[in-house]
Amino acid sequence: TERATAVLRLDGVIFRPEVAKTTAQRTRGLMNRRQAPKDGMLFVFPGTTSGGFWMKNTLVPLTIVFFDSAGKRVRKLSMVPCRKDPCPIYDPGLPYRFALELPASDTRRGATIGPRSVLGRLARSAT
């Protein structure tokens, strides 16, 4: 299946994450994938949101970085695979607009994502 990507900048460096901007795509996320995409998956929400992510049926450890609507990091957490309930919830404890899941081995800081024009276009197309 063809996966949508976006050309963005993470800490000023071009990267191309897969994009999850519908409820179904965000719900599925990186479940049942044997490897996380090199540039991860960007979860785009139609508005500022709160609450956490979980790793049920996710096979690989991930780092998740939560960003506000301006592309500034809100929180960065490490997540481990979970095979059976109850699975922990990884909640940034603050509102966010975007969440980027990266392979746990990724060493990028993840302080900013952008440009804002692309983030805005993605956010407007999210459902």
Side-chain angles (χ1 to χ4, degrees), residues 29 37 80 85-86 119:
V80 296
D85 290 326
L119 292 178

Side-chain angles (χ1 to χ4, degrees), residues 54-94:
W54 71 339
M55 293 285 285
K56 178 81 182 265
N57 298 323
T58 304
L59 308 177
V60 295
L62 299 168
T63 296
I64 188 166
V65 189
F66 298 91
F67 297 94
D68 65 17
S69 57
K72 299 253 185 287
R73 181 175 65 204
V74 170
R75 177 125 324 132
K76 184 176 181 178
L77 301 169
S78 295
M79 305 190 297
V80 296
C82 179
R83 299 257 184 256
K84 59 184 198 274
D85 290 326
C87 291
I89 303 289
Y90 298 90
D91 189 331
L94 294 162

Side-chain angles (χ1 to χ4, degrees), residues 20 25-26 29-30 41-45 53 97-99 101:
Q25 290 168 340
R26 288 189 301 265
L30 294 174
M41 178 176 277
L42 182 66
F43 294 76
V44 181
F45 295 88
F53 281 57
R97 185 72 181 267
F98 305 95
E101 289 184 348

Side-chain angles (χ1 to χ4, degrees), residues 3-6 8 10 14-20 29-30 33 35-43 60-65 67 99-106 108 113:
R3 294 188 170 99
T5 61
L8 290 161
L10 185 63
I14 289 179
F15 84 125
R16 292 172 173 81
E18 291 181 18
V19 176
L30 294 174
R33 306 249 308 251
Q35 190 174 342
K38 178 176 77 70
D39 282 338
M41 178 176 277
L42 182 66
F43 294 76
V60 295
L62 299 168
T63 296
I64 188 166
V65 189
F67 297 94
L100 177 64
E101 289 184 348
L102 293 165
S105 58
D106 195 290
R108 290 175 277 196
I113 194 172

